[in-house]
Amino acid sequence: MTATSSSRAPRLLAISGSAREGSLNGKLLAVATAKAKALGAEVNTVDLRALALPVFDADLIAAQGMPAGARQLRDLMAAHDGLLLASPEYNALPTPLLLNALDWMSVVQVEGDLPGGTGATAGKPAGLMAASPGALGGVRALPIVRTFLSTNFAMVVVPEQVGVPAADQQFTTPDRLSSDALDQMLSKLVASVVRQARWRIQG
């Protein structure tokens, strides 16, 4: 039987603001992804570096057209019901990799049946998390990301968020954090995003 919009599994897009090999935020995102799949969600991960986006420059659009990676990110956002985002902090700010990708997506225009970049995200739930080997767990950048997503992209950022300090000690198993308290917080965050995504597709 073909799944209807009300019975199909919620589809979540998973993004890490760090693409380096062995990224702690990539590992955190993998744990969150495992939790979402256990709740019945379909999850697809996008590698921001693979989008090959140049540093944002509006003049490039006039000279060369919209980069293919910007359209690809818009297409992915449009095809999913919610977002899991692991956003590390660099000097108390979100990473240039993440901000640059979102800046590019924000200027993608409506094309046929496809929405513009901000239309692809509007009303969809997002869950924010961060990991750091330091004591603060990357949380200083999350309020900025929260404002960016809710204001510029009209996303519904769930109130739960997780900052994982001493993260180099947390990833001993693939589907949970070593700290029971942090693992429970992450489970609540993921459950909130999955729940809101499911409500959204049920109308």
Side-chain angles (χ1 to χ4, degrees):
M1 182 173 63
T2 302
T4 65
S5 61
S6 61
S7 63
R8 68 169 174 82
R11 303 182 187 116
L12 303 182
L13 191 64
I15 295 177
S16 171
S18 172
R20 70 175 181 81
E21 191 71 25
S23 164
L24 293 172
N25 282 270
K27 292 179 179 180
L28 177 59
L29 188 66
V31 175
T33 294
K35 291 179 180 295
K37 289 180 177 179
L39 293 174
E42 298 176 6
V43 188
N44 292 301
T45 302
V46 59
D47 179 355
L48 294 182
R49 185 163 55 187
L51 298 176
L53 289 165
V55 174
F56 182 82
D57 182 347
D59 287 343
L60 288 177
I61 302 174
Q64 303 175 17
M66 186 67 63
R71 284 195 176 91
Q72 182 181 350
L73 185 57
R74 183 276 310 274
D75 294 351
L76 287 165
M77 286 288 193
H80 289 79
D81 307 303
L83 174 67
L84 295 173
L85 176 59
S87 176
E89 67 172 61
Y90 286 0
N91 299 318
L93 295 171
T95 63
L97 178 68
L98 175 62
L99 293 178
N100 188 60
L102 293 176
D103 282 341
W104 272 115
M105 189 181 69
S106 73
V107 298
V108 176
Q109 300 298 305
V110 174
E111 297 173 311
D113 293 334
L114 289 170
T118 55
T121 58
K124 296 180 179 180
L128 303 183
M129 64 201 82
S132 168
L136 297 179
V139 297
R140 292 182 297 176
L142 293 185
I144 300 171
V145 180
R146 180 177 293 273
T147 299
F148 194 20
L149 293 182
S150 61
T151 302
N152 295 62
F153 294 93
M155 299 196 83
V156 181
V157 184
V158 300
E160 299 88 349
Q161 69 178 33
V162 178
V164 180
D168 52 325
Q169 303 171 29
Q170 287 296 327
F171 303 108
T172 56
T173 56
D175 57 355
R176 72 179 314 278
L177 300 176
S178 296
S179 163
D180 289 338
L182 289 173
D183 190 67
Q184 290 175 16
M185 291 173 63
L186 184 60
S187 293
K188 289 179 180 178
L189 182 156
V190 172
S192 184
V193 174
V194 172
R195 181 170 58 250
Q196 291 203 31
R198 186 170 280 123
W199 287 344
R200 189 174 188 276
I201 62 178
Q202 290 174 347

